[in-house]
Amino acid sequence: MSEQSLTETDVPRANGMPMLGLGTWQNEDPEDCAKAVETALNMGYRHIDTAQAYDNEEHVGEGIESANVPREDVFLATKVWKANLAYDDVLSSTEESLEKLGVDSVDLLYIHWPAGEYDPEETFRALNELHEEGKIDRIGISNFEPENIEEALEHSEAPVFANQVELHPLFQQEEIRSVCEEHDIEVVAYSPLARGAVFDDEDLGEIADEHGVSEAQVSLAWLREKGVTAIPKATGEDHIQDNWESLRVELDDEEIERIDDLGRSERQIDPDFAPW
């Protein structure tokens, strides 16, 4: 990839979904959140990820509205919280999300966790209805283990488009990736930088030094090589830019294998209601 400015066309896509996006978890300050979204979109990002539980959908919507990017060019994803997964609550909470975001539909709506009020039959009945009505373009799942994935496929009339899970070089989720590939489900990585732990890994540091880039860029490049979409959280323009520049990083086979062989299993997100 040339050293001239990167644009949205430099982002590979997975079935129409840009494979590098902006995550907004814990970005609750109204002004900072809106500004981060606006900055990312004006930089070239076209994938924005939020959730009901992040309490920032309204601010994300403000950032989208402020950016010099048409709404139809933005791949927008949000998630239904575990307390809102009963049939009626899925419908009503999604309407609230659309209103907060200031949009008529979202490109991808996830079940945030298979927990709380989650009931495969009733939850997917509501999601299928929203899909038929055109309020959501794609149905997604998040934090679903292999057995949860199989169960979801039994109840979703529309294709299950993506499974969003914690995934990074220090927690590589080989089984999840394999099951998703088998069923043509895209994998989206949250916490792709292991909440900063990648900066302390010696191997990633050495590879980063060889390329003259950050460990974050190496991690994001590795995920891209694995066919995984990454949505790193960032607020300041410098971090948003650093993640964006990962599109220039091309790892060779030896470097990819070296990361594959890290052999670490460092899960960062582990709530007591998780399915594992």
Side-chain angles (χ1 to χ4, degrees), residues 142-209:
S142 183
N143 298 296
F144 275 48
E145 292 289 283
E147 61 271 19
N148 305 120
I149 295 171
E150 299 290 348
E151 189 175 50
L153 291 169
E154 292 176 9
H155 290 91
S156 184
E157 296 174 7
V160 175
F161 178 76
N163 186 18
Q164 184 178 136
V165 296
E166 178 184 345
L167 205 166
H168 44 75
L170 310 182
F171 189 59
Q172 299 187 9
Q173 296 270 43
E174 292 92 340
E175 183 182 10
I176 295 287
R177 287 192 280 131
S178 177
V179 172
C180 287
E181 182 177 10
E182 178 184 346
H183 294 293
D184 295 320
I185 298 172
E186 297 297 334
V187 178
V188 178
Y190 72 74
S191 296
L193 309 181
R195 304 188 76 179
V198 297
F199 293 99
D200 299 322
D201 183 83
E202 183 177 345
D203 291 281
L204 293 174
E206 290 177 1
I207 295 171
D209 288 344

Side-chain angles (χ1 to χ4, degrees), residues 230-245:
I231 49 166
K233 177 188 72 174
T235 52
E237 183 174 357
D238 54 344
H239 288 149
I240 295 172
Q241 180 74 47
D242 189 71
N243 294 336
W244 182 242
E245 292 294 326

Side-chain angles (χ1 to χ4, degrees), residues 80-94 115-119 121-127 130:
V80 181
W81 183 236
K82 64 186 182 71
N84 297 330
L85 291 174
Y87 172 81
D88 288 334
D89 294 335
V90 171
L91 299 180
S92 61
S93 70
T94 299
E117 299 304 309
Y118 176 63
D119 175 275
E121 184 173 351
E122 291 301 297
T123 301
F124 277 101
R125 182 163 73 92
L127 290 173
L130 290 167

Side-chain angles (χ1 to χ4, degrees), residues 209-258:
D209 288 344
E210 290 167 6
H211 286 266
V213 300
S214 68
E215 292 87 349
Q217 291 183 36
V218 170
S219 300
L220 295 173
W222 175 81
L223 287 165
R224 189 172 65 248
E225 290 287 350
K226 295 298 176 183
V228 173
T229 295
I231 49 166
K233 177 188 72 174
T235 52
E237 183 174 357
D238 54 344
H239 288 149
I240 295 172
Q241 180 74 47
D242 189 71
N243 294 336
W244 182 242
E245 292 294 326
S246 70
L247 295 168
R248 299 189 193 276
V249 180
E250 296 182 9
L251 304 174
D252 61 32
D253 291 344
E254 184 178 341
E255 290 168 330
I256 294 168
E257 184 175 354
R258 184 176 177 185

